[in-house]
Amino acid sequence: MRRPAALTRRSCGICRLVPPARFNWRYWGRGYATEAMRALFEYGFETSGLHRIADTCDARHAASVRVMEKLGMRREAHYRETIWDGAHWHDEYGYAILAREWRAFKTT
């Protein structure tokens, strides 16, 4: 049975996964953010059949950047001054990974 075109070209933006900075500081650096994102990728690509997953992070947060790059995501964008903290504007990076890239990454 052939799926409708709308179902074969799925895309998902994961908006604001809980970054390591939001975890209690006692749990930083233990791989929990990487583990959580890996589980979301598995579910999104293998169970839900998504084609692409995207996320953004504060460009100042090196740990978030490391997590995304560690999971094979590629930086696609540098959004200038998109985060307002009440006193200053800050940059944001956009990352994404395709299902075929995730499957190839998992085998390495």
Side-chain angles (χ1 to χ4, degrees), residues 25-46:
W25 65 269
R26 292 181 198 107
Y27 303 104
W28 289 2
R30 296 186 184 187
Y32 296 135
T34 303
E35 184 179 343
M37 284 185 73
R38 185 177 288 118
L40 285 170
F41 288 3
E42 280 295 320
Y43 181 80
F45 291 133
E46 306 306 333

Side-chain angles (χ1 to χ4, degrees), residues 14-15 21 26 31-32 41 52-53 59 62 66 68-69 71 88 95 102 106:
I14 299 174
C15 299
R26 292 181 198 107
Y32 296 135
F41 288 3
R52 181 176 192 272
I53 295 176
R66 272 194 311 276
M68 290 190 222
E69 291 177 354
L71 290 170
H88 301 93
Y95 282 85
W102 171 247
K106 285 191 330 180

Side-chain angles (χ1 to χ4, degrees), residues 5-105:
L7 295 179
T8 60
R9 285 180 254 148
R10 298 183 204 182
S11 183
C12 176
I14 299 174
C15 299
R16 301 291 173 225
L17 287 175
V18 178
R22 299 256 172 101
F23 290 148
N24 184 303
W25 65 269
R26 292 181 198 107
Y27 303 104
W28 289 2
R30 296 186 184 187
Y32 296 135
T34 303
E35 184 179 343
M37 284 185 73
R38 185 177 288 118
L40 285 170
F41 288 3
E42 280 295 320
Y43 181 80
F45 291 133
E46 306 306 333
T47 303
S48 296
L50 297 177
H51 173 67
R52 181 176 192 272
I53 295 176
D55 196 3
T56 60
C57 70
D58 187 323
R60 299 168 298 163
H61 199 262
S64 293
V65 169
R66 272 194 311 276
V67 167
M68 290 190 222
E69 291 177 354
K70 187 188 315 184
L71 290 170
M73 296 183 86
R74 94 191 139 286
R75 188 180 306 172
E76 294 186 337
H78 182 161
Y79 302 110
R80 303 286 312 274
E81 299 183 4
T82 55
I83 301 170
W84 176 251
D85 68 7
H88 301 93
W89 286 100
H90 301 283
D91 293 357
E92 190 171 40
Y93 292 144
Y95 282 85
I97 189 166
L98 300 174
R100 69 175 175 267
E101 294 170 333
W102 171 247
R103 289 182 187 107
F105 177 80

